[in-house]
Amino acid sequence: MPRTAKSAMLHIMEGNPNNKTKKELQKRQKNELKMKLSADNLVPPKWLSAGGAKRFTEIVEIMGPTDILSDSDIDTLAIYCDTLVDYQAYKNKVKKLGMFKDGKVNPFVREKRNTAILLNRYANELGLTPSARASMAIHMSNDEDGDEDDF
C-alpha cells in the first residue's frame, strides 16, 4: 500500500528522511499554500436533519480556531453529522428493544456497530479525534518561532 504524502514541514521536522532537496521542499511548501481553501461558507446543507444541522454548527464553532475545516469539507462534515444522528437512532432502538430479539441479536446492534466504525473514519478524516489532531499538529506552521526560513 502506498504511503500517505507528507507535507514539507513534516519532512523538515522529521529531519528530511527522504533526503529531499531544499528546492523540492520549498516547492512543496509553496504548492501546499496554494491549496489552502476558504472557510467562509461553512453552513449545514439544507438536506441535513435538524439534529444533524445543530451538530454541524457546533463542530464548525468548536473547530473554528484550528483552521482545519474549509468549504470543501461541508459534505463530509454533513455526512458525519447525518451518520451521528443515525447512530443515536440505532442506540435508542437497541435501548428500547434490547440486545436480543426472538433469540437472535437485534439487527440494530449490528447497524449501531457499523455506524460507529463509519463515524470514527469520518471523525479522523475531519480532525475530530485526539489522534487526528495530534497528527495534524505536526503539519502546522509555528509563526511564533520567529524562524522565517525553515529550510
Side-chain angles (χ1 to χ4, degrees):
M1 180 188 305
R3 293 184 183 189
T4 306
K6 295 180 182 179
S7 74
M9 290 305 294
L10 184 56
H11 275 286
I12 294 165
M13 292 177 80
E14 291 179 344
N16 196 12
N18 294 347
N19 297 320
K20 298 216 177 282
T21 66
K22 184 176 178 180
K23 188 174 182 177
E24 288 173 318
L25 291 172
Q26 286 174 334
K27 181 179 178 184
R28 179 175 274 186
Q29 187 176 34
K30 183 179 176 183
N31 289 340
E32 288 169 5
L33 289 173
K34 286 181 187 177
M35 301 282 297
K36 186 134 173 85
L37 301 172
S38 166
D40 297 335
N41 301 305
L42 285 170
V43 293
K46 292 183 189 261
W47 58 264
L48 197 54
S49 68
K54 180 180 179 204
R55 188 65 182 137
F56 184 104
T57 304
E58 289 170 352
I59 291 171
V60 167
E61 186 176 313
I62 290 167
M63 297 295 286
T66 66
D67 290 331
I68 291 173
L69 298 175
S70 70
D71 293 342
S72 67
D73 299 318
I74 290 173
D75 291 332
T76 305
L77 181 55
I79 293 169
Y80 169 82
C81 293
D82 189 48
T83 305
L84 181 59
V85 170
D86 291 345
Y87 177 85
Q88 292 166 336
Y90 295 140
K91 183 177 187 258
N92 290 337
K93 290 279 190 183
V94 170
K95 187 176 181 181
K96 181 179 177 183
L97 301 173
M99 293 289 285
F100 298 94
K101 183 178 178 185
D102 301 327
K104 297 179 183 176
V105 175
N106 183 341
F108 289 112
V109 171
R110 183 182 63 248
E111 292 302 321
K112 180 182 159 213
R113 184 184 61 235
N114 292 341
T115 304
I117 292 167
L118 279 175
L119 282 171
N120 189 46
R121 287 182 187 156
Y122 283 119
N124 280 321
E125 192 171 322
L126 292 164
L128 301 177
T129 65
S131 62
R133 286 189 304 278
S135 175
M136 289 178 178
I138 294 170
H139 296 73
M140 292 177 69
S141 62
N142 190 356
D143 296 334
E144 295 171 8
D145 285 353
D147 202 9
E148 295 299 319
D149 185 13
D150 292 312
F151 304 104

